[in-house]
Amino acid sequence: MDFRTACEETKTGICLLQDGNQEPFKVRLHLAKDILMIQEQDVVCVSGEPFYSGERTVTIRRQTVGGFGLSIKGGAEHNIPVVISKISKDQRAELSGLLFIGDAILQINGINVKKCRHEEVVQVLRNAGEEVTLTVSFLKRAPAFLKLPLNEDCACAPSDQSSGTSSPLCDSGLHLNYHPNNTDTLSCSSWPTSPGLKWEKRWCDLRLIPLLHSRFSQYVPGTDLSRQNAFQVIAVDGVCSGIIQCLSAEDCVDWLQAIATNISNLTKHNIKKINRNFPVNQQIVYMGWCEAREQDPLQDCVYSPVFLALRGSCLYKFLAPPVTTWDWTRAEKTFSVYEIMCKILKPV
C-alpha cells in the first residue's frame, strides 16, 4: 500500500479493540500530530477534583407506567454481568448523573447478581418490590456483541407492556409491577442524590502511543497473513495498541494513511535535527521500519521488524531506532551502498 506524505493529520473515530484474548470492545481513537490516543468510556465524578467510580449505589422507585424505565442485556452465560442497555426517555432527568448505559448491575437489594444468568436477574428485579436499590459499576470493556449505544441519546421510550420472555442479547425491559394483582398507582421514580457529587460518562485514556519511530502493520506478527480491516501500532518502547478493528475497509485505509502521514512527518523533522551533528557527506537521507524475511528450517519463512537508515554512503540495519550518535556505531549490520544489489520482489 502506498502512503503519500502530506500535512499532519488529526482524526477521531470509533473502532473495536481486541486486547489479548478478550472480546473486542468499543474504543475511541484520537490521532494528534505526535501521538495516538486510545480511549475507553468510564463514569467519572466531576464534582471538584475528578475521580473514577468503583461502585455506585442507587435507589429507584417503580412507576405504574414505565416501571424502572431501563432495559438490560448480558448475563453469566456470556461471562459478564448483566448491564443496563437502555434508559427510558421520560426518566432521563431523574436518571441523569446516577445510572448510565453500560453500568453493570452487581447487587439488587443486597443480593449479589454478578454471576447470575440473564433470566435470573430479570426475575429478581421483577420481584424486587416497588423500590429497588442497585449497586452498579460501569463496565468499561463491554463486549462488542452486546451492541450497546455509546451514549444516552439512544434511550428507549417507556412502556407499560412486557413480554414474558427475555434474552441475554436482546433488551429486557423492566417495567412490570412486582405483583400480578398490584394495581396501585405508584409515584414517579425517586432518585436520592449524593450531596455535592455529579457523575458523567466520559472518554478516558486507555493507552497512549507516541508516534515518533513507531511502526504499524496489518499483518499477523511474524507472518505474511494480513488482517482484514484491522491493524496494530507499536511504539518504539514496545507499547502495543492491541488489534484495532475498523468498521470498514475504507475506514481502515483512512486510519493507516493518517497514521503513516504523521509518522513520516515526525521522522523527517527528527532527521533534520540529527543531521546537525553530522557533516554534509554523512547526512541521513532516509530511515524507517521494514519487515525482514528470514528463512527458518521449521517454517517456510519468518518476518521480523528491522529499522533501516540510509546515511551518507552506507545503509544501516538496526533492531531499534538509533537515538544517540553512539547508537550509529552499534548497528546490527552496515552495508556500503556501492556494494549493494537491490531487487524488488513482487507479491505472489
Side-chain angles (χ1 to χ4, degrees), residues 202-214:
R202 289 187 174 182
W203 288 104
C204 305
D205 292 341
L206 170 64
R207 205 160 293 156
L208 304 177
I209 309 293
L211 293 181
L212 179 61
H213 293 325
S214 68

Side-chain angles (χ1 to χ4, degrees), residues 142-205:
F145 62 72
L146 289 179
K147 298 182 179 179
L148 298 180
L150 291 174
N151 52 56
E152 275 58 32
D153 291 340
C154 298
C156 61
S159 171
D160 57 357
Q161 302 295 324
S162 175
S163 64
T165 60
S166 62
S167 168
L169 294 183
C170 296
D171 296 302
S172 294
L174 301 173
H175 37 68
L176 288 181
N177 292 325
Y178 71 96
H179 190 279
N181 296 323
N182 181 11
T183 56
D184 296 339
T185 301
L186 302 177
S187 62
C188 293
S189 58
S190 172
W191 299 84
T193 58
S194 301
L197 294 183
K198 181 181 178 182
W199 302 92
E200 287 184 4
K201 187 190 288 187
R202 289 187 174 182
W203 288 104
C204 305
D205 292 341

